[in-house]
Amino acid sequence: MEEANPGTVRPGGRTARVRAAVLRAAGDALAEQGFAHLDLADIARRADVGKTTVYRRWGTVTSLVADLLVDMAEQSLPRTETGSLLGDLKANARLVQRTLADPRQGKLFKAVIAAATCDAGTADALHRFYAIRIAEWAPCVRQAIDRGEAPEGTDPHDVIRAVSAPLYYRLLTSADPLDEATADRAAEAAVAATRAGAYRR
Amino acid sequence: MEEANPGTVRPGGRTARVRAAVLRAAGDALAEQGFAHLDLADIARRADVGKTTVYRRWGTVTSLVADLLVDMAEQSLPRTETGSLLGDLKANARLVQRTLADPRQGKLFKAVIAAATCDAGTADALHRFYAIRIAEWAPCVRQAIDRGEAPEGTDPHDVIRAVSAPLYYRLLTSADPLDEATADRAAEAAVAATRAGAYRR
DNA sequence: TCCATAACGGAACTCCGGTTTCGTTAGTGG
DNA sequence: CCACTAACGAAACCGGAGTTCCGTTATGGA
């Protein structure tokens, strides 16, 4: 007789309220202090729940981060459409830039990336989160192919990744500003490379 | 009377031997288990030194990682020259790819990036490490400008960063393979974007 | 070579994050 | 509405990472 994980038999009601409060508290704490010294008892206090509950339901910091990533993936924004590849990729770059440059969101993303380096389950959740984001924006590259703005055989996922990569690299490896010019440059570079066939497979 | 930090009055002899052993042990442990649960007493055991010494000299895990980054920056490889921008950027991309795809080095880089998200001193050391690497390879873009392969006003640092960024993005946000084709594509995309003037300032 | 002391390490100690226990509260289905 | 139990939380407990103490070893300059 396999025992169900806590919170899975009755996922609604109080259980859902506790999850929401704990995930909100976790996001706040991650943004404030990063991943390293995250303390589940502190999360419990912030969420106004018992620390036993947090240990029972999530067990470890990285499991809590993985659950937060699942929640973030469910909440993420749909893409916009501008009618041109450059316009779409600039919109995407600006969205990523605004997120990473936001004091709370930028730190939160750093923290979840750090957590994912330390735990396979969290890494899976992070990979899924980004796969969902990339899949959300990939159609704009397909549309560009249809409009003749990108060569046949261009991999849409590669193009979308090429827009985000310089912004994340900047966030994680330097203290350089993450401004709109940087975002626009990332989009322009991705468009130029796309047109030149660099992402053809 | 300001007290000197341990190891700074007599930095040679036994002090240097202890540092070398501790940094080697730290690199191994970071590669094996990531950053989160790094235990200074374990590092001391691996290095065959007293744990008091590790706490006295480095104090925290992140300070030890920062010192490891200083050491890594001192050890890094000089750039190669191929005579063409594409050749040079491919060489750079391949070097980064080989490093990140290496089982030990890839994990080590993930771990130091994670550590840098958690501590300002470690972040500074990481930023310096990458600034040194980028400065090492920037001359190849300057040479390309001189040869007419890149437009005047191209920012060499932007170009070198554009080569690395997709590889780090792949390492940190997905489980996708980091192969030579990916490295070559990063170089080709950077060259195409450079030629199109995307990195002109 | 000698000496002052920087740097060292073993052992004892502390404290806080993680674990266990068990009575209480909320949810669900008959 | 009621009975069963999933989920909850307070309190007590535990152990290992971090800290302190003090005798030992190695270094560098006179």
Side-chain angles (χ1 to χ4, degrees):
Chain A
M1 188 63 199
E2 271 218 357
E3 290 226 323
N5 286 330
T8 56
V9 177
R10 297 184 191 166
R14 184 174 60 167
T15 304
R17 287 196 302 275
V18 166
R19 181 173 179 249
V22 168
L23 291 187
R24 194 183 309 111
D28 290 344
L30 282 166
E32 280 170 39
Q33 57 190 65
F35 159 70
H37 301 298
L38 208 70
D39 169 18
L40 292 185
D42 179 52
I43 303 293
R45 273 189 301 269
R46 288 166 179 257
D48 200 27
V49 306
K51 87 168 164 175
T52 330
T53 298
V54 177
Y55 279 105
R56 182 193 311 111
R57 293 275 301 280
W58 286 278
T60 61
V61 165
T62 47
S63 294
L64 179 55
V65 174
D67 199 24
L68 180 62
L69 281 161
V70 170
D71 189 61
M72 283 160 69
E74 284 161 6
Q75 318 268 7
S76 48
L77 292 173
R79 73 176 174 106
T80 56
E81 300 199 43
T82 65
S84 77
L85 181 63
L86 183 60
D88 286 346
L89 295 192
K90 272 189 175 177
N92 176 253
R94 287 283 181 94
L95 174 63
V96 174
Q97 177 262 331
R98 269 194 314 274
T99 304
L100 299 185
D102 178 80
R104 184 183 185 274
Q105 294 291 103
K107 287 196 185 119
L108 177 59
F109 273 90
K110 280 189 178 184
V112 297
I113 289 165
T117 69
C118 302
D119 175 68
T122 315
D124 287 345
L126 186 78
H127 301 163
R128 257 180 264 116
F129 172 79
Y130 282 110
I132 287 164
R133 294 310 296 155
I134 290 161
E136 175 68 31
W137 283 86
C140 77
V141 183
R142 285 195 202 99
Q143 285 166 8
I145 294 168
D146 293 344
R147 289 194 297 260
E149 290 184 271
E152 287 285 348
T154 296
D155 184 319
H157 292 199
D158 274 355
V159 177
I160 301 301
R161 280 192 287 253
V163 177
S164 296
L167 304 176
Y168 278 88
Y169 187 78
R170 188 169 283 241
L171 175 75
L172 292 167
T173 69
S174 78
D176 298 340
L178 247 182
D179 51 24
E180 287 174 352
T182 306
D184 291 349
R185 197 177 306 119
E188 283 151 19
V191 168
T194 301
R195 285 192 186 135
Y199 302 115
R200 225 166 9 176
R201 293 279 194 91
Chain B
M1 187 65 198
E2 273 219 356
E3 291 224 323
N5 286 329
T8 55
V9 178
R10 298 184 189 164
R14 182 175 62 167
T15 304
R17 287 196 301 277
V18 165
R19 180 172 179 248
V22 168
L23 291 187
R24 194 183 309 111
D28 290 343
L30 281 167
E32 280 170 39
Q33 58 190 70
F35 159 70
H37 300 298
L38 206 71
D39 170 18
L40 293 185
D42 179 52
I43 303 293
R45 273 189 302 270
R46 288 165 179 260
D48 201 26
V49 307
K51 90 167 163 177
T52 327
T53 297
V54 177
Y55 279 105
R56 181 192 313 110
R57 293 277 301 279
W58 287 278
T60 62
V61 165
T62 46
S63 295
L64 180 54
V65 174
D67 199 23
L68 181 61
L69 281 161
V70 171
D71 188 60
M72 282 160 70
E74 284 161 5
Q75 317 269 9
S76 46
L77 292 174
R79 72 175 174 108
T80 57
E81 299 199 42
T82 66
S84 78
L85 181 63
L86 182 62
D88 286 347
L89 295 192
K90 272 189 175 177
N92 175 252
R94 287 285 181 93
L95 174 63
V96 175
Q97 178 264 331
R98 271 195 312 274
T99 303
L100 299 185
D102 178 80
R104 184 182 185 273
Q105 295 290 104
K107 286 196 186 118
L108 177 59
F109 273 92
K110 279 188 178 186
V112 297
I113 290 166
T117 68
C118 302
D119 175 67
T122 315
D124 287 345
L126 186 78
H127 300 162
R128 257 181 262 118
F129 172 79
Y130 282 109
I132 287 163
R133 293 310 296 154
I134 290 162
E136 175 68 30
W137 285 85
C140 77
V141 182
R142 284 194 203 100
Q143 286 167 6
I145 294 168
D146 293 344
R147 289 193 298 259
E149 290 185 89
E152 286 285 347
T154 295
D155 184 319
H157 292 201
D158 274 354
V159 177
I160 301 302
R161 280 193 287 254
V163 176
S164 295
L167 304 177
Y168 278 87
Y169 186 78
R170 189 168 282 241
L171 176 75
L172 292 167
T173 69
S174 77
D176 298 341
L178 247 182
D179 52 23
E180 288 175 350
T182 306
D184 291 350
R185 197 177 306 118
E188 282 152 18
V191 169
T194 300
R195 285 192 185 133
Y199 301 115
R200 224 166 10 175
R201 292 280 194 95

